[in-house]
Amino acid sequence: MIDVVVVSRKNEAQDICSYELVSVDGSPLPAFSAGAHIDVHLPDGLIRQYSLCNHPEERHRYLIGVLKDSASRGGSQRLHEQIHNGARLRISEPRNLFPLADEARRSILFAGGIGITPILSMAEHLAHTGADFDLHYCARSSERAAFVQRLKDSPFSERVFLHFDEQPHTALDAAKVLAAPEDNVHLYVCGPGGFMQHLLDSARAQGWREDRLHREYFAAAPVDNSQDGRFSVKVGSSGQVFEIPADKTVVQVLESHGIEIAVSCEQGICGTCLTRVLEGVPEHRDLFLTEDEQALNDQFTPCCSRSKTPLLVLDI
Ligand code: FES
């Protein structure tokens, strides 16, 4: 855990603030790679993940961008309302679940709305290393697009394409941009669920290989829980069996019996709770594992995923 202080909070766009964080004792912060995020521990115990959007060579600060989302579970509102210059926060070391592929000959970066944050860091890194890339940034309007001036002032500004819904002539033509996939070109997408689905579907329709498609979700889509049933989990090490009722997660039931599984996002995005499955078939509800990884059925995210079989045996 790292203690940091907010040295600069700026309004970057409508409902989007950036927070510049430095360590309380002035020491360099742990190095990070483009696409990494940190867990931010808010004063009342909430933990939220935010991508780092500064240049990944920097060690003297971390920069995060936060969209105040009234539909969120409260973390972003709390940051906007309670965290100002001089506030202290506890953060985790950076983790990267959305890394750039070293072998890419060229990268195409797509950001939707606040999804620009990890993409910015990626663009900085790619430009710094002289790599070939383009960045497409989609937002509802220029007022809602954060960091536009930074992009315009950047040494890679000619690689940036802005697409605003309010300016139909700037609309992104995904089929055209993604036409004729080449083997060493990688695609990175971050933004709202519908935006990401559209781009990933467009890429697949054009014949892009699944392992060339990289994505990071900010929030899970709402899940219909109405048909959820009960099932059991067996703790592999002790043989204890617990019933998971329809309205509880595996993590909640195990925790109530003193068995802790580390969690962070609690919605299947971060992978913190990933647990190996020894027997049974999980019903995957996460956005962390790839489709191929899910199909192996040898691990699952007990914060949200359930079971297709009456019993799951877990490697804990
Ligand atoms: Fe994030 Fe389970 S806690 S995936």
Side-chain angles (χ1 to χ4, degrees):
M1 209 71 84
I2 308 165
D3 292 308
V4 294
V5 60
V6 177
V7 291
S8 176
R9 171 193 148 130
K10 283 190 196 144
N11 290 327
E12 300 285 355
Q14 187 178 331
D15 290 335
I16 299 178
C17 279
S18 68
Y19 295 82
E20 183 179 344
L21 313 173
V22 304
S23 64
V24 165
D25 62 7
S27 56
L29 292 161
F32 70 97
S33 53
H37 70 270
I38 52 171
D39 292 345
V40 175
H41 293 247
L42 294 166
D44 50 8
L46 283 180
I47 303 172
R48 291 292 178 265
Q49 289 76 40
Y50 295 103
S51 298
L52 297 175
C53 60
N54 52 314
H55 195 304
E57 296 288 309
E58 292 181 346
R59 299 286 305 277
H60 68 289
R61 66 169 190 159
Y62 291 152
L63 191 68
I64 58 173
V66 179
L67 168 69
K68 183 175 170 184
D69 181 0
S70 49
S72 80
R73 296 168 299 146
S76 66
Q77 294 221 30
R78 222 150 291 177
L79 262 163
H80 271 248
E81 286 160 11
Q82 298 175 7
I83 305 301
H84 300 279
N85 285 348
R88 288 190 176 206
L89 291 168
R90 305 203 92 187
I91 62 170
S92 68
E93 296 215 354
R95 283 196 303 161
N96 199 343
L97 304 174
F98 190 38
L100 288 163
D102 290 336
E103 69 275 19
R105 183 184 60 73
R106 173 173 147 72
S107 303
I108 309 179
L109 312 176
F110 290 99
I114 193 62
I116 189 63
T117 49
I119 297 289
L120 260 180
S121 181
M122 290 174 160
E124 297 276 13
H125 175 76
L126 292 168
H128 181 69
T129 56
D132 186 11
F133 73 97
D134 282 334
L135 190 173
H136 294 268
Y137 183 12
C138 303
R140 277 156 62 187
S141 65
S142 51
E143 287 75 35
R144 289 179 173 275
F147 305 112
V148 170
Q149 200 54 48
R150 175 173 155 191
L151 288 167
K152 287 183 174 169
D153 293 342
S154 73
F156 52 86
S157 57
E158 78 285 356
R159 298 173 180 275
V160 177
F161 301 90
L162 300 172
H163 308 282
F164 298 134
D165 292 353
E166 64 178 5
Q167 299 168 10
H169 66 282
T170 67
L172 170 65
D173 185 345
K176 188 171 166 196
V177 174
L178 296 170
E182 290 172 42
D183 212 28
N184 283 330
V185 183
H186 286 241
L187 182 154
Y188 300 83
V189 194
C190 188
F195 166 83
M196 296 177 61
Q197 202 58 51
H198 171 62
L199 283 163
L200 294 169
D201 288 348
S202 300
R204 291 183 185 114
Q206 303 271 8
W208 283 68
R209 280 174 46 178
E210 201 60 39
D211 63 353
R212 300 296 189 260
L213 308 180
H214 309 269
R215 72 217 75 177
E216 182 155 84
Y217 290 90
F218 280 143
V223 173
D224 177 6
N225 297 320
S226 59
Q227 304 300 317
D228 284 353
R230 61 182 56 196
F231 60 98
S232 298
V233 294
K234 183 173 178 177
V235 176
S237 58
S238 66
Q240 291 167 288
V241 177
F242 301 104
E243 181 164 298
I244 314 298
D247 61 346
K248 291 266 189 301
T249 66
V250 175
V251 164
Q252 288 168 339
V253 172
L254 292 182
E255 189 178 36
S256 69
H257 290 89
I259 301 169
E260 296 274 345
I261 294 181
V263 291
S264 182
C265 73
E266 295 180 73
Q267 48 179 341
I269 294 172
C270 71
T272 303
C273 66
L274 201 62
T275 301
R276 275 179 47 75
V277 175
L278 300 173
E279 279 177 42
V281 180
E283 184 185 322
H284 298 284
R285 298 254 176 104
D286 67 284
L287 296 166
F288 176 73
L289 297 169
T290 64
E291 285 177 17
D292 289 347
E293 287 170 337
Q294 287 185 347
L296 293 174
N297 288 325
D298 60 352
Q299 51 185 347
F300 87 138
T301 53
C303 68
C304 62
S305 294
R306 301 189 67 81
S307 182
K308 289 182 177 166
T309 46
L311 179 70
L312 281 183
V313 183
L314 306 182
D315 188 14
I316 51 177

